[in-house]
Amino acid sequence: MLEKDEIFSKVLRAGRRTYFFDVRSTKAEDYYITITESKKFTEEDGSFHFKKHKIYLYKEDFSAFKEILEEMTSFVLNNKGEEVISERHQKDFKREYTSDNQEETPQVEKSFTDINFDDI
């Protein structure tokens, strides 16, 4: 389906991400919504590019989508509050990983001087 007419738009800038909310018109002149996430990636040489992801939301799905979105956002806020917890927002945040890059319980960092002579 080609995106014909842009009827109404809003933009949410959130750090390196930008969200575009657009009401568009179908060929039959009905409306639907697109939500586009655009994320900026900067290369080592200073150049940059954007990656975009788009969701098409049609009227028949509005009610269920809104209900689930409200349920999910309420769950997050009720369980974790509104404070952002991440390494980007807190300099003392430490992320721990398992061998397959999944977070796990905190581990004590070893120094290069922590040598077990039984291993030699």
Side-chain angles (χ1 to χ4, degrees):
M1 176 182 286
L2 294 175
E3 296 170 348
K4 270 181 74 177
D5 299 319
E6 214 171 273
I7 308 301
F8 180 67
S9 296
K10 291 280 188 171
V11 176
L12 171 62
R13 297 191 196 296
R16 293 184 329 172
R17 290 182 172 87
T18 303
Y19 299 96
F20 299 91
F21 298 85
D22 299 300
V23 174
R24 298 183 183 271
S25 177
T26 66
K27 289 181 182 178
E29 297 185 16
D30 201 359
Y31 291 166
Y32 65 100
I33 296 172
T34 61
I35 303 170
T36 306
E37 175 201 39
S38 178
K39 186 174 179 182
K40 184 177 183 178
F41 290 89
T42 305
E43 306 295 337
E44 289 181 19
D45 65 0
S47 64
F48 58 89
H49 67 279
F50 294 91
K51 284 190 179 179
K52 294 183 180 183
H53 299 92
K54 188 172 285 203
I55 296 173
Y56 294 82
L57 189 58
Y58 298 95
K59 290 192 306 188
E60 61 267 24
D61 302 320
F62 284 1
S63 180
F65 187 91
K66 180 180 176 186
E67 183 179 307
I68 291 172
L69 181 61
E70 287 175 352
E71 181 181 356
M72 300 302 281
T73 55
S74 293
F75 177 85
V76 170
L77 295 175
N78 290 337
N79 285 281
K80 291 296 181 177
E82 293 187 26
E83 181 183 358
V84 176
I85 303 170
S86 74
E87 59 188 294
R88 179 178 178 166
H89 293 89
Q90 293 174 306
K91 293 183 190 226
D92 61 346
F93 180 82
K94 291 185 180 160
R95 185 185 324 181
E96 302 295 335
Y97 293 100
T98 61
S99 59
D100 58 349
N101 247 6
Q102 294 181 4
E103 291 186 32
E104 66 175 25
T105 56
Q107 298 177 353
V108 176
E109 265 188 46
K110 289 188 175 184
S111 161
F112 77 92
T113 59
D114 293 338
I115 299 171
N116 184 345
F117 289 103
D118 292 334
D119 294 337
I120 297 178

mmCIF file of all heavy atoms in Angstrom, residues 2 9 16 26-27 31 37 40 43 46 55 73 75 82 85 90 97 102 112 114 116:
data_model
loop_
_atom_site.group_PDB
_atom_site.id
_atom_site.type_symbol
_atom_site.label_atom_id
_atom_site.label_comp_id
_atom_site.label_asym_id
_atom_site.label_seq_id
_atom_site.Cartn_x
_atom_site.Cartn_y
_atom_site.Cartn_z
ATOM 1 N N LEU A 2 0.679 2.106 -0.921
ATOM 2 C CA LEU A 2 1.446 3.345 -0.978
ATOM 3 C C LEU A 2 0.914 4.338 0.035
ATOM 4 O O LEU A 2 -0.285 4.434 0.263
ATOM 5 C CB LEU A 2 1.353 3.964 -2.383
ATOM 6 C CG LEU A 2 1.995 3.169 -3.515
ATOM 7 C CD1 LEU A 2 1.712 3.846 -4.845
ATOM 8 C CD2 LEU A 2 3.481 3.032 -3.291
ATOM 9 N N SER A 9 0.178 15.162 11.468
ATOM 10 C CA SER A 9 1.457 14.612 11.925
ATOM 11 C C SER A 9 1.890 15.220 13.249
ATOM 12 O O SER A 9 1.606 16.379 13.533
ATOM 13 C CB SER A 9 2.560 14.884 10.896
ATOM 14 O OG SER A 9 2.294 14.222 9.698
ATOM 15 N N ARG A 16 18.621 10.147 20.638
ATOM 16 C CA ARG A 16 19.022 9.752 19.282
ATOM 17 C C ARG A 16 17.852 9.221 18.466
ATOM 18 O O ARG A 16 17.991 8.954 17.283
ATOM 19 C CB ARG A 16 20.100 8.666 19.337
ATOM 20 C CG ARG A 16 21.402 9.131 19.906
ATOM 21 C CD ARG A 16 22.471 8.073 19.865
ATOM 22 N NE ARG A 16 21.929 6.724 19.994
ATOM 23 C CZ ARG A 16 22.626 5.624 19.847
ATOM 24 N NH1 ARG A 16 23.902 5.701 19.574
ATOM 25 N NH2 ARG A 16 22.083 4.435 19.996
ATOM 26 N N THR A 26 -5.830 6.216 2.728
ATOM 27 C CA THR A 26 -5.755 5.109 1.776
ATOM 28 C C THR A 26 -6.322 5.560 0.429
ATOM 29 O O THR A 26 -6.873 6.664 0.313
ATOM 30 C CB THR A 26 -6.567 3.898 2.279
ATOM 31 O OG1 THR A 26 -7.950 4.265 2.299
ATOM 32 C CG2 THR A 26 -6.107 3.459 3.654
ATOM 33 N N LYS A 27 -6.223 4.697 -0.559
ATOM 34 C CA LYS A 27 -6.803 5.000 -1.878
ATOM 35 C C LYS A 27 -8.314 5.192 -1.787
ATOM 36 O O LYS A 27 -8.897 5.946 -2.554
ATOM 37 C CB LYS A 27 -6.484 3.887 -2.871
ATOM 38 C CG LYS A 27 -5.029 3.855 -3.267
ATOM 39 C CD LYS A 27 -4.772 2.745 -4.261
ATOM 40 C CE LYS A 27 -3.296 2.705 -4.611
ATOM 41 N NZ LYS A 27 -2.974 1.614 -5.535
ATOM 42 N N TYR A 31 -8.693 6.542 6.721
ATOM 43 C CA TYR A 31 -7.474 6.933 7.428
ATOM 44 C C TYR A 31 -6.847 5.760 8.162
ATOM 45 O O TYR A 31 -7.533 4.842 8.594
ATOM 46 C CB TYR A 31 -7.766 8.025 8.458
ATOM 47 C CG TYR A 31 -8.133 9.369 7.875
ATOM 48 C CD1 TYR A 31 -8.700 10.341 8.685
ATOM 49 C CD2 TYR A 31 -7.935 9.678 6.542
ATOM 50 C CE1 TYR A 31 -9.035 11.594 8.185
ATOM 51 C CE2 TYR A 31 -8.266 10.921 6.034
ATOM 52 C CZ TYR A 31 -8.819 11.863 6.852
ATOM 53 O OH TYR A 31 -9.146 13.094 6.353
ATOM 54 N N GLU A 37 9.904 4.987 13.872
ATOM 55 C CA GLU A 37 11.035 5.263 14.753
ATOM 56 C C GLU A 37 12.243 5.468 13.857
ATOM 57 O O GLU A 37 12.565 4.635 13.021
ATOM 58 C CB GLU A 37 11.307 4.092 15.689
ATOM 59 C CG GLU A 37 12.551 4.320 16.532
ATOM 60 C CD GLU A 37 13.161 3.037 17.082
ATOM 61 O OE1 GLU A 37 13.180 2.032 16.356
ATOM 62 O OE2 GLU A 37 13.614 3.071 18.228
ATOM 63 N N LYS A 40 19.417 7.657 14.958
ATOM 64 C CA LYS A 40 20.654 8.147 14.353
ATOM 65 C C LYS A 40 21.846 7.333 14.857
ATOM 66 O O LYS A 40 22.006 7.129 16.054
ATOM 67 C CB LYS A 40 20.856 9.622 14.712
ATOM 68 C CG LYS A 40 22.060 10.261 14.066
ATOM 69 C CD LYS A 40 22.135 11.734 14.427
ATOM 70 C CE LYS A 40 23.278 12.428 13.753
ATOM 71 N NZ LYS A 40 23.323 13.857 14.076
ATOM 72 N N GLU A 43 29.107 7.178 12.892
ATOM 73 C CA GLU A 43 30.289 6.362 12.598
ATOM 74 C C GLU A 43 31.520 6.977 13.244
ATOM 75 O O GLU A 43 31.506 8.140 13.658
ATOM 76 C CB GLU A 43 30.492 6.254 11.079
ATOM 77 C CG GLU A 43 29.281 5.757 10.319
ATOM 78 C CD GLU A 43 28.907 4.321 10.653
ATOM 79 O OE1 GLU A 43 29.780 3.554 11.112
ATOM 80 O OE2 GLU A 43 27.740 3.971 10.464
ATOM 81 N N GLY A 46 32.766 10.319 11.966
ATOM 82 C CA GLY A 46 31.890 11.476 12.146
ATOM 83 C C GLY A 46 30.668 11.462 11.252
ATOM 84 O O GLY A 46 29.736 12.233 11.461
ATOM 85 N N ILE A 55 5.486 1.137 11.813
ATOM 86 C CA ILE A 55 4.303 0.351 12.159
ATOM 87 C C ILE A 55 3.106 0.991 11.468
ATOM 88 O O ILE A 55 2.927 2.209 11.513
ATOM 89 C CB ILE A 55 4.066 0.352 13.691
ATOM 90 C CG1 ILE A 55 5.208 -0.328 14.414
ATOM 91 C CG2 ILE A 55 2.728 -0.300 14.028
ATOM 92 C CD1 ILE A 55 5.116 -0.204 15.918
ATOM 93 N N THR A 73 2.286 0.094 29.543
ATOM 94 C CA THR A 73 2.921 1.262 30.150
ATOM 95 C C THR A 73 2.586 1.347 31.636
ATOM 96 O O THR A 73 3.456 1.676 32.446
ATOM 97 C CB THR A 73 2.526 2.570 29.427
ATOM 98 O OG1 THR A 73 1.106 2.696 29.398
ATOM 99 C CG2 THR A 73 3.062 2.601 27.994
ATOM 100 N N PHE A 75 1.991 -1.215 33.605
ATOM 101 C CA PHE A 75 2.781 -2.268 34.250
ATOM 102 C C PHE A 75 4.199 -1.787 34.516
ATOM 103 O O PHE A 75 4.723 -1.939 35.621
ATOM 104 C CB PHE A 75 2.808 -3.521 33.368
ATOM 105 C CG PHE A 75 3.657 -4.624 33.944
ATOM 106 C CD1 PHE A 75 3.136 -5.510 34.866
ATOM 107 C CD2 PHE A 75 4.982 -4.759 33.567
ATOM 108 C CE1 PHE A 75 3.921 -6.526 35.410
ATOM 109 C CE2 PHE A 75 5.777 -5.757 34.106
ATOM 110 C CZ PHE A 75 5.243 -6.641 35.026
ATOM 111 N N GLU A 82 8.862 6.002 37.277
ATOM 112 C CA GLU A 82 9.175 6.833 36.111
ATOM 113 C C GLU A 82 10.661 7.135 35.964
ATOM 114 O O GLU A 82 11.095 7.614 34.938
ATOM 115 C CB GLU A 82 8.380 8.136 36.168
ATOM 116 C CG GLU A 82 6.895 7.906 35.998
ATOM 117 C CD GLU A 82 6.096 9.196 35.885
ATOM 118 O OE1 GLU A 82 6.671 10.217 35.456
ATOM 119 O OE2 GLU A 82 4.915 9.178 36.228
ATOM 120 N N ILE A 85 16.445 4.064 34.456
ATOM 121 C CA ILE A 85 17.595 3.324 34.972
ATOM 122 C C ILE A 85 18.343 2.763 33.775
ATOM 123 O O ILE A 85 17.873 1.842 33.118
ATOM 124 C CB ILE A 85 17.146 2.173 35.888
ATOM 125 C CG1 ILE A 85 16.298 2.700 37.035
ATOM 126 C CG2 ILE A 85 18.355 1.393 36.394
ATOM 127 C CD1 ILE A 85 15.620 1.629 37.841
ATOM 128 N N GLN A 90 22.910 7.035 34.078
ATOM 129 C CA GLN A 90 23.593 6.964 35.359
ATOM 130 C C GLN A 90 25.015 6.491 35.135
ATOM 131 O O GLN A 90 25.245 5.376 34.678
ATOM 132 C CB GLN A 90 22.873 5.984 36.288
ATOM 133 C CG GLN A 90 21.493 6.473 36.679
ATOM 134 C CD GLN A 90 20.767 5.414 37.478
ATOM 135 O OE1 GLN A 90 20.638 4.294 37.044
ATOM 136 N NE2 GLN A 90 20.299 5.793 38.652
ATOM 137 N N TYR A 97 26.928 -9.252 32.059
ATOM 138 C CA TYR A 97 26.540 -10.119 30.955
ATOM 139 C C TYR A 97 26.968 -11.552 31.194
ATOM 140 O O TYR A 97 27.981 -11.808 31.817
ATOM 141 C CB TYR A 97 27.191 -9.663 29.647
ATOM 142 C CG TYR A 97 26.683 -8.347 29.163
ATOM 143 C CD1 TYR A 97 27.411 -7.177 29.386
ATOM 144 C CD2 TYR A 97 25.482 -8.253 28.487
ATOM 145 C CE1 TYR A 97 26.946 -5.962 28.936
ATOM 146 C CE2 TYR A 97 25.014 -7.043 28.047
ATOM 147 C CZ TYR A 97 25.750 -5.904 28.264
ATOM 148 O OH TYR A 97 25.283 -4.702 27.823
ATOM 149 N N GLN A 102 23.483 -11.816 27.704
ATOM 150 C CA GLN A 102 22.268 -11.523 28.435
ATOM 151 C C GLN A 102 22.646 -11.037 29.823
ATOM 152 O O GLN A 102 23.633 -11.469 30.397
ATOM 153 C CB GLN A 102 21.397 -12.761 28.542
ATOM 154 C CG GLN A 102 20.868 -13.204 27.194
ATOM 155 C CD GLN A 102 19.995 -14.431 27.349
ATOM 156 O OE1 GLN A 102 19.742 -14.891 28.449
ATOM 157 N NE2 GLN A 102 19.528 -14.959 26.246
ATOM 158 N N PHE A 112 43.589 -7.701 37.311
ATOM 159 C CA PHE A 112 44.622 -8.543 36.719
ATOM 160 C C PHE A 112 45.574 -9.072 37.782
ATOM 161 O O PHE A 112 46.305 -10.028 37.556
ATOM 162 C CB PHE A 112 45.375 -7.790 35.617
ATOM 163 C CG PHE A 112 46.376 -6.791 36.139
ATOM 164 C CD1 PHE A 112 47.704 -7.154 36.338
ATOM 165 C CD2 PHE A 112 45.995 -5.489 36.420
ATOM 166 C CE1 PHE A 112 48.619 -6.238 36.811
ATOM 167 C CE2 PHE A 112 46.914 -4.582 36.891
ATOM 168 C CZ PHE A 112 48.229 -4.952 37.100
ATOM 169 N N ASP A 114 44.484 -10.435 40.561
ATOM 170 C CA ASP A 114 43.814 -11.533 41.232
ATOM 171 C C ASP A 114 44.236 -12.833 40.547
ATOM 172 O O ASP A 114 43.527 -13.373 39.696
ATOM 173 C CB ASP A 114 42.287 -11.380 41.176
ATOM 174 C CG ASP A 114 41.809 -10.188 41.985
ATOM 175 O OD1 ASP A 114 42.539 -9.759 42.871
ATOM 176 O OD2 ASP A 114 40.701 -9.713 41.704
ATOM 177 N N ASN A 116 45.359 -16.813 40.632
ATOM 178 C CA ASN A 116 45.339 -18.066 41.369
ATOM 179 C C ASN A 116 46.524 -18.896 40.869
ATOM 180 O O ASN A 116 46.556 -19.315 39.729
ATOM 181 C CB ASN A 116 44.032 -18.797 41.122
ATOM 182 C CG ASN A 116 43.916 -20.060 41.940
ATOM 183 O OD1 ASN A 116 44.893 -20.550 42.490
ATOM 184 N ND2 ASN A 116 42.692 -20.587 42.014
#
